[in-house]
Amino acid sequence: MTTVNLNKSIIMKALDYGYDKAVNGLPGMETAEELASSYMKNEGTLEDHANDLVKWQIAKAGTSGFLTGLGGLITLPVAVPANITSVLYVQVRMIAAIATMGGHDIRSDQVRTLVYMCLCGSAITDLLKDVGIQVGTKLTNAAISKISGATITKINQAVGVRLVTKFGQTGAINLGKAVPFLGGVIGGAVDAIATKTIGKVAINTFIEKPAQ
């Protein structure tokens, strides 16, 4: 595997590229909105749908059809390691689908940044504190829309730093442990615990639970 020095700029390019493909589509792949719609057809609550998506996305991602579609992503010219771009695409699409389920506009800068933030998993609480967002504040559509451009920039910078640390200082790392799912793409293994954590954070961020 080619060694690539990672930094915030490279990570953010990978995130932006993956997010664009997750939202606008990749040949042979469902968009985040289409993915959300396919799970919303099932019976159950909104939270049930989101949990089902998290539970089954990794299993579905291992199919030959998924890997064939993902090939279109990793063969496009991007100044980011293909393995990093691919795994971030998988995770970002799952989180963006959950945001869609919650009725959020995934084309807004605010929601895009919150999707990125969810990739930090359990570190999200510290990240929110770092950028001055009160932990425990419900991120409703109204609250999300009020997130300023300056705060978006701060969150993006913090996410970039954390993901550089998470992936390591080079691209020659075990991405199967850093971020869930890799299957046949780079021969990594699924990290189910990390997947569950990221999915739970996304659900807590974007899905409003009914009043008890």
Side-chain angles (χ1 to χ4, degrees):
M1 185 182 297
T2 302
T3 297
V4 179
N5 292 323
L6 294 182
N7 55 43
K8 276 195 305 181
S9 176
I10 288 177
I11 288 292
M12 294 313 297
K13 284 179 182 178
L15 281 175
D16 289 341
Y17 183 78
Y19 195 88
D20 176 69
K21 297 305 176 186
V23 171
N24 296 312
L26 189 67
M29 303 296 297
E30 294 174 299
T31 65
E33 289 168 325
E34 291 168 342
L35 186 62
S37 178
S38 68
Y39 282 88
M40 293 285 283
K41 295 175 182 177
N42 302 327
E43 293 184 0
T45 66
L46 190 58
E47 190 172 358
D48 289 337
H49 299 328
N51 282 320
D52 286 343
L53 186 151
V54 172
K55 181 179 179 180
W56 295 110
Q57 261 308 283
I58 299 303
K60 286 178 62 178
T63 65
S64 59
F66 182 91
L67 295 179
T68 299
L70 198 57
L73 176 78
I74 63 178
T75 56
L76 290 174
V78 186
V80 177
N83 51 2
I84 301 278
T85 306
S86 299
V87 73
L88 288 177
Y89 162 79
V90 171
Q91 290 300 322
V92 162
R93 189 180 70 141
M94 180 181 74
I95 301 166
I98 292 171
T100 297
M101 287 179 169
H104 302 284
D105 179 10
I106 58 175
R107 289 171 174 77
S108 77
D109 290 340
Q110 289 90 345
V111 171
R112 174 192 287 252
T113 291
L114 292 178
V115 168
Y116 292 174
M117 191 171 65
C118 290
L119 289 168
C120 295
S122 57
I124 192 171
T125 299
D126 290 337
L127 189 150
L128 286 171
K129 289 180 180 177
D130 291 344
V131 300
I133 294 179
Q134 184 178 351
V135 178
T137 301
K138 183 59 187 176
L139 293 174
T140 61
N141 271 313
I144 289 173
S145 67
K146 293 178 181 178
I147 297 175
S148 68
T151 299
I152 287 175
T153 299
K154 288 173 66 176
I155 293 175
N156 286 342
Q157 290 175 342
V159 168
V161 169
R162 287 186 180 275
L163 291 184
V164 166
T165 301
K166 186 174 183 177
F167 281 121
Q169 294 304 309
T170 73
I173 56 176
N174 187 342
L175 291 179
K177 290 183 178 179
V179 180
F181 170 75
L182 292 183
V185 177
I186 63 167
V190 174
D191 184 341
I193 295 175
T195 303
K196 184 176 180 180
T197 298
I198 291 172
K200 182 178 180 180
V201 167
I203 291 170
N204 288 340
T205 300
F206 293 114
I207 303 295
E208 188 167 3
K209 294 177 174 60
Q212 298 297 321

